[in-house]
């Protein structure tokens, strides 16, 4: 049986992240509203991120290699969980560093400068 006060804050966190709000910003907001761990501690960014990746909130449980629908009422919908995952994954994709770019023809790498100076 989930703690209803914390449950509402967890729902709010998933919803805000799914709507595109920054993870740290959302953590700050729900912490200010009173979200704490079961032991009463403030959540770290890592713990908060793990929470948002935890499929159990959408009603699924996993043990070893088996994932199954839980017998409990999910805290959030699967659709909200998936939207949250998409928002989180979209943020984690980094662009590749481009060493040689056609818009900067005069740019040279540091190794090329070292070779030219010897």
């Amino acid at each position: 049986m989930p703690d209803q006060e914390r449950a509402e804050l967890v729902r709010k966190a998933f919803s805000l992240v799914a709507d595109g709000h920054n993870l740290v910003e959302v953590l700050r907001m729900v912490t200010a509203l009173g979200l704490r761990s079961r032991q009463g501690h403030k959540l770290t960014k890592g713990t908060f991120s793990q929470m948002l990746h935890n499929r159990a909130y959408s009603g699924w449980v996993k043990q070893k290699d088996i994932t199954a629908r839980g017998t409990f009422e999910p805290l959030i919908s699967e659709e909200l969980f998936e939207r949250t995952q998409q928002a989180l994954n979209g943020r984690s994709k980094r662009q590749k560093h481009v060493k040689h770019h056609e818009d900067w023809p005069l740019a040279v790498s540091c190794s090329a400068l070292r070779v030219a100076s010897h």
Side-chain angles (χ1 to χ4, degrees), residues 13-93:
F14 272 94
S15 182
L16 288 168
V17 171
D19 289 343
H21 291 274
N22 176 287
L23 186 76
V24 174
E25 174 186 303
V26 174
L27 176 57
R28 220 176 276 132
M29 291 166 73
V30 294
T31 299
L33 291 171
L35 183 62
R36 300 287 186 275
S37 71
R38 289 185 194 144
Q39 295 79 27
H41 303 292
K42 289 182 178 181
L43 300 179
T44 64
K45 182 181 173 188
T47 302
F48 186 60
S49 178
Q50 284 179 335
M51 180 191 88
L52 294 172
H53 284 92
N54 188 344
R55 195 169 285 283
Y57 289 103
S58 66
W60 291 91
V61 290
K62 183 175 182 175
Q63 190 167 22
K64 297 187 181 181
D65 294 337
I66 301 170
T67 302
R69 180 56 98 175
T71 58
F72 52 90
E73 184 71 30
L75 205 55
I76 62 168
S77 68
E78 286 185 62
E79 185 266 337
L80 177 56
F81 181 81
E82 291 304 324
R83 283 185 31 234
T84 302
Q85 301 317 295
Q86 288 173 356
L88 290 169
N89 292 336
R91 284 195 198 108
S92 66
K93 291 179 183 171

Side-chain angles (χ1 to χ4, degrees), residues 109-118:
S109 68
C110 291
S111 59
L113 286 175
R114 274 188 242 118
V115 170
S117 64
H118 287 286

Side-chain angles (χ1 to χ4, degrees), residues 96-113:
K96 287 184 178 179
H97 177 71
V98 179
K99 288 184 179 180
H100 302 286
H101 194 281
E102 62 190 41
D103 291 342
W104 304 304
L106 300 178
V108 292
S109 68
C110 291
S111 59
L113 286 175

